[in-house]
Amino acid sequence: MAVAPFSSVSRVGFSKSDAHLLFGSGSTFPSKRLSLSSKAFKSMAALTAAPAGGISETFDDLRKRGQVALIPYITAGDPDLPTTAEALKVLDSCGSDIIELGLPYSDPLADGPVIQAAATRSLARGTNFDAVISMLREVLPQLSCPVSLFSYYNPILKRGIGKFMTIIKDAGVQGLVVPDVPLEETEILRMESSKNNIELVLLTTPTTPTDRMKSIVSASEGFVYLVSSVGVTGTRTNVSSRVQTLLQDIKQATSKPVAVGFGISKPEHVKQVAEWGADGVIVGSAMVKLLGEAKSPEEGLKELETFTKSLKAALI
């Protein structure tokens, strides 16, 4: 049954100065079985793969090997859900350590133009939560890395927190980011996510006061998401050198892994952030742009493969 697009949330993430919302959730997509085969990429992902470990387990393994996690982000349903399914397999086969999948939202308050446009295109095609989950049930058993979802808080509340967590757990999702929920209101989310073995990742930003940052990193699971700059998502020419100081401050407060996102769009960015001490690098808008603006889904997937391999090479 079609679900109406979710309305804007009125909540502010963490604090007003920290309202750097990443991605979004929910809306309509006709429920149908997806044809996920693609001759161009059939050889890139086996029909079955080694079971993916959790996010914490993935970071533990990488640390033992002295490696930094590559964490790409794409928007579900852009340009369409079958392409999203193939993109997940391409990202996995190219060495991604964790994949972030954004659920398109009707009011992405602080996303830059690339992800806003992707969400708009996805929703216009009718993408909804149920269709995304159906696709994930088919695809996730074929992946060797964990997948984390992004959802605004309002769609979770509409379904019921416990029900939402059970649904994504049953689909094989390992992590969740709810970037617009204040830290003070995460208690139920944390309880329900823990009950369902979903790692709830929290964000800290350049404007987060030190005491609040310490509370956030203490509560975060899987890893700490460090927003690298003030402003909306999107590619940038350079990564702020302040990230190095922010990483040092966070690492003095926790032994949990820290991944840096926002504005990471080139192999040289990935290399620089890794050299500054990040445990993971998150690349979003650049990935979304390749898939959403390609002349065809096939071309977008090929460009995604080439780009992902270049980012992975920068971390070796």
Side-chain angles (χ1 to χ4, degrees):
M1 182 174 67
V3 181
F6 293 111
S7 60
S8 170
V9 294
S10 59
R11 300 177 181 272
V12 178
F14 299 123
S15 66
K16 288 186 178 180
S17 63
D18 289 340
H20 304 292
L21 314 182
L22 293 178
F23 314 106
S25 183
S27 246
T28 59
F29 195 95
S31 179
K32 64 180 181 179
R33 186 173 182 83
L34 298 173
S35 177
L36 302 179
S37 62
S38 172
K39 291 181 180 179
F41 295 97
K42 197 169 185 180
S43 63
M44 299 182 64
L47 292 178
T48 58
I55 294 173
S56 294
E57 182 181 338
T58 297
F59 273 108
D60 287 344
D61 183 56
L62 289 169
R63 275 182 167 176
K64 290 175 184 176
R65 293 186 275 129
Q67 297 179 358
V68 174
L70 174 61
I71 310 174
Y73 164 89
I74 58 174
T75 300
D78 183 45
D80 52 50
L81 276 178
T83 303
T84 299
E86 293 301 324
L88 290 171
K89 292 185 280 187
V90 169
L91 291 171
D92 182 51
S93 70
C94 290
S96 299
D97 298 292
I98 299 165
I99 301 173
E100 300 178 342
L101 183 66
L103 302 174
Y105 188 67
S106 58
D107 190 11
L109 299 177
D111 277 321
V114 171
I115 294 176
Q116 283 188 22
T120 298
R121 289 189 297 264
S122 181
L123 294 176
R125 282 184 169 270
T127 305
N128 75 6
F129 176 74
D130 291 337
V132 173
I133 291 298
S134 178
M135 178 273 292
L136 289 175
R137 287 196 185 104
E138 292 193 39
V139 175
L140 294 194
Q142 303 176 40
L143 306 184
S144 61
C145 69
V147 169
S148 179
L149 285 186
F150 287 76
S151 174
Y152 284 112
Y153 197 25
N154 196 38
I156 297 174
L157 291 175
K158 286 189 72 171
R159 287 186 175 271
I161 295 174
K163 182 178 180 181
F164 181 92
M165 295 294 181
T166 300
I167 290 171
I168 66 172
K169 172 194 175 182
D170 290 345
V173 172
Q174 307 258 16
L176 176 67
V177 176
V178 188
D180 65 324
V181 63
L183 174 65
E184 293 78 10
E185 297 182 27
T186 61
E187 183 176 353
I188 297 177
L189 276 172
R190 289 158 59 193
M191 179 180 68
E192 292 295 335
S193 62
S194 177
K195 188 186 302 183
N196 287 279
N197 295 316
I198 301 292
E199 295 182 275
L200 184 66
V201 178
L202 303 182
L203 296 83
T204 183
T205 81
T207 60
T208 304
T210 300
D211 288 346
R212 188 173 185 81
M213 176 272 287
K214 291 179 179 178
S215 297
I216 289 170
V217 302
S218 176
S220 189
E221 300 169 349
F223 64 94
V224 177
Y225 193 129
L226 171 59
V227 174
S228 70
S229 60
V230 175
V232 298
T233 59
T235 60
R236 290 168 172 79
T237 304
N238 299 299
V239 181
S240 171
S241 59
R242 190 182 175 196
V243 169
Q244 185 173 16
T245 301
L246 293 170
L247 279 167
Q248 292 171 351
D249 292 343
I250 295 172
K251 286 179 173 290
Q252 287 178 359
T254 184
S255 60
K256 295 175 183 175
V258 184
V260 178
F262 275 55
I264 313 297
S265 60
K266 303 175 183 178
E268 50 264 41
H269 293 168
V270 166
K271 183 171 181 165
Q272 180 65 79
V273 172
E275 289 175 351
W276 284 340
D279 300 288
V281 289
I282 302 165
V283 182
S285 293
M287 297 275 183
V288 172
K289 185 179 179 71
L290 287 177
L291 284 174
E293 299 183 8
K295 293 179 181 179
S296 68
E298 292 76 20
E299 180 181 302
L301 291 168
K302 289 177 182 177
E303 291 179 359
L304 185 72
E305 177 190 7
T306 300
F307 182 54
T308 305
K309 286 180 176 179
S310 72
L311 297 175
K312 188 68 176 181
L315 293 174
I316 296 175

